[in-house]
Amino acid sequence: MRTEIKIEKCNKPYCVIHTETETEGICKVAESIRKMDESGKIVILTAWDGDYCIQLKIDEVFRIFSMEKKVYVETEKEVLLLRMRLYEFEELSENYGWTDFIRISNTDIVNFSKITSLDMSISGVVKVNLINGSKTVISRRFVTKIKKQLNMIHKK
């Protein structure tokens, strides 16, 4: 396939595909491009509300969690079904460079850019408070890893 890049003044980059007929392959290419930002990173995540497929921008996601053998994605206003496992989302976020997503327990992955505070109580439990008012807990097994990522461990 021939490609061409034109440098011109425009507010946002956009892509035009010239084709004689709309084929399945062309539609797949267009869909892939639609899911990217200007740097080429994929920024769209597909979630479900009943029978409705909803495309979310990755920066709208507050956390991914599992409950009753299903995986959900939480945004500011709603919780939607995510048709993948937590480890699959972890791999996806690693492959696409979504570095704000960190696993905090066996059932939770949070977007650290959506955290307002970490409550480190005396009991050793670390509570996570999100911008949308939601709360979750960091598993003791993951506390050291997260402290390392946040540069909270003091070297002796």
Side-chain angles (χ1 to χ4, degrees):
M1 187 181 306
R2 186 183 81 148
T3 60
E4 182 181 334
I5 297 175
K6 286 187 176 181
I7 309 298
E8 59 185 41
K9 280 194 168 201
C10 60
N11 291 338
K12 275 187 147 187
Y14 66 95
C15 181
V16 177
I17 300 173
H18 298 272
T19 181
E20 211 170 279
T21 60
E22 188 175 307
T23 64
E24 187 178 331
I26 294 293
C27 289
K28 284 182 180 178
V29 168
E31 184 62 26
S32 295
I33 293 169
R34 210 174 284 119
K35 292 179 178 180
M36 293 179 190
D37 66 4
E38 288 83 10
S39 70
K41 286 185 180 178
I42 301 290
V43 293
I44 300 292
L45 184 66
T46 303
W48 298 85
D49 185 7
D51 291 336
Y52 294 96
C53 174
I54 300 182
Q55 295 202 326
L56 301 169
K57 289 189 177 181
I58 201 65
D59 62 355
E60 296 175 329
V61 176
F62 282 67
R63 74 181 181 127
I64 310 290
F65 64 97
S66 66
M67 184 173 62
E68 298 173 1
K69 296 187 180 183
K70 291 187 179 180
V71 177
Y72 298 92
V73 57
E74 182 179 339
T75 66
E76 186 171 5
K77 297 178 183 170
E78 59 191 342
V79 174
L80 303 166
L81 182 65
L82 190 62
R83 291 186 176 167
M84 64 176 63
R85 303 260 186 235
L86 278 175
Y87 76 88
E88 292 172 324
F89 178 81
E90 253 183 327
E91 289 171 1
L92 189 71
S93 65
E94 194 174 299
N95 291 338
Y96 290 140
W98 302 336
T99 56
D100 287 341
F101 290 93
I102 299 172
R103 185 181 279 262
I104 62 167
S105 70
N106 286 336
T107 59
D108 270 291
I109 297 173
V110 295
N111 182 345
F112 259 71
S113 67
K114 303 293 184 184
I115 291 178
T116 56
S117 64
L118 295 174
D119 180 8
M120 299 188 179
S121 62
I122 297 170
S123 66
V125 175
V126 181
K127 295 177 187 171
V128 177
N129 299 310
L130 299 168
I131 294 170
N132 65 351
S134 179
K135 298 174 192 306
T136 188
V137 176
I138 297 176
S139 163
R140 288 180 192 198
R141 193 173 126 202
F142 289 85
V143 169
T144 305
K145 174 189 160 196
I146 291 164
K147 283 182 176 181
K148 270 185 192 171
Q149 282 184 289
L150 297 175
N151 295 320
M152 293 174 65
I153 293 182
H154 300 290
K155 294 180 181 174
K156 295 179 182 179

